[in-house]
Amino acid sequence: MKADIVWILIVLLGFYECLAGKEEEEGVKFANKCEVCKILAIELENRLEETGKSQDVIEIGYSLDDTGLKKKRTKYKKSELRLVESLDGICERVLQYNIHKERTDSTRFAKGMSQTFRTLHGLVNKGVKVELGIPEELWDKPSVEITNMKTQCEMLLEEHESDIEEWYFKSQGEVPLKSYLCSQLVLRDSDDSCLLEDEKGTENQVQEQTKPNKIKKDEL
């Protein structure tokens, strides 16, 4: 049964690669495997950081001691329940991202309004008529790149859930999930350079490119 699921996932991934080729001809560039894994790892670690603040002790299963049958007590922070709750709906978080088309690397997928749409909204607020071919009320809805990334995230999670569980219980806090899941497993034979790209560095690069050139004194 598991082999059948893996085969279906491989077929679906192949379908998305073909679809991506056609879409890119129309100005749409879908997320690649590195970008999908990077976002999944970031969001899951962020979610685990949120749930890890709890100091609750929970009761799970039963253990037999000298006084009879008792429920086992464990810290929520180290429990399987925390992992399950953290994974639940994790790919829905992808829908909080937007495409920042002024960037060319993996940081084009980021939360917050893109510089392009901030400019467009500013023009509209000043009374300028802007035609994009789509209604203004749809400007801030998830783009096709984002909804596609959510689907890819769900497939990646389905395929590597057991690997994530292994990391959670044995390597969490020692090895970053981006390294364990993405570099070592998902992208073992692929380019993983996108994992090193960060939003701050890209923004600085964009700002440098858009700065007017300074005139040197000897050029005056």
Side-chain angles (χ1 to χ4, degrees), residues 98-116:
N98 286 306
I99 283 289
H100 294 243
K101 292 198 174 182
E102 65 273 11
R103 305 171 188 169
T104 57
D105 60 14
S106 65
T107 65
R108 64 197 176 96
F109 294 101
K111 293 179 180 178
M113 187 178 292
S114 69
Q115 182 179 322
T116 303

Side-chain angles (χ1 to χ4, degrees), residues 16-194:
Y16 275 111
E17 286 176 3
C18 294
L19 186 60
K22 293 179 181 178
E23 292 292 339
E24 285 178 22
E25 293 176 5
E26 300 175 9
V28 175
K29 186 179 179 183
F30 288 141
N32 58 39
K33 193 160 51 172
C34 183
E35 291 167 328
V36 174
C37 194
K38 178 182 180 180
I39 297 297
L40 172 58
I42 289 172
E43 287 304 316
L44 182 53
E45 286 200 305
N46 287 345
R47 178 62 182 145
L48 286 169
E49 186 176 346
E50 294 168 9
T51 58
K53 294 175 183 178
S54 173
Q55 299 300 318
D56 291 349
V57 175
I58 60 175
E59 294 182 338
I60 55 169
Y62 290 90
S63 62
L64 190 62
D65 61 16
D66 295 337
T67 60
L69 201 61
K70 282 189 175 181
K71 281 193 173 183
K72 294 179 183 177
R73 292 171 62 84
T74 187
K75 289 183 178 180
Y76 172 77
K77 190 174 181 178
K78 297 182 178 180
S79 69
E80 185 176 1
L81 177 62
R82 177 187 170 215
L83 175 61
V84 171
E85 291 182 342
S86 297
L87 286 173
D88 185 34
I90 195 67
C91 290
E92 289 291 328
R93 289 184 166 217
V94 173
L95 298 179
Q96 298 172 12
Y97 283 71
N98 286 306
I99 283 289
H100 294 243
K101 292 198 174 182
E102 65 273 11
R103 305 171 188 169
T104 57
D105 60 14
S106 65
T107 65
R108 64 197 176 96
F109 294 101
K111 293 179 180 178
M113 187 178 292
S114 69
Q115 182 179 322
T116 303
F117 272 97
R118 278 200 302 269
T119 302
L120 292 174
H121 278 293
L123 291 172
V124 171
N125 291 338
K126 291 177 181 178
V128 178
K129 187 176 181 181
V130 178
E131 289 288 347
L132 293 181
I134 57 173
E136 186 183 342
E137 59 268 21
L138 296 180
W139 286 8
D140 300 323
K141 297 292 183 182
S143 67
V144 65
E145 294 99 329
I146 297 300
T147 54
N148 175 272
M149 178 183 259
K150 175 179 175 289
T151 301
Q152 290 194 64
C153 173
E154 290 166 344
M155 292 192 296
L156 188 66
L157 182 59
E158 177 75 27
E159 187 176 355
H160 290 279
E161 193 165 357
S162 60
D163 296 320
I164 292 172
E165 185 175 344
E166 183 85 3
W167 168 83
Y168 175 79
F169 286 112
K170 296 182 179 179
S171 301
Q172 184 186 182
E174 298 175 6
V175 181
L177 185 56
K178 278 197 296 186
S179 176
Y180 185 96
L181 177 65
C182 303
S183 290
Q184 298 177 25
L185 296 171
V186 176
L187 305 168
R188 183 171 48 195
D189 300 315
S190 307
D191 180 18
D192 65 352
S193 59
C194 88

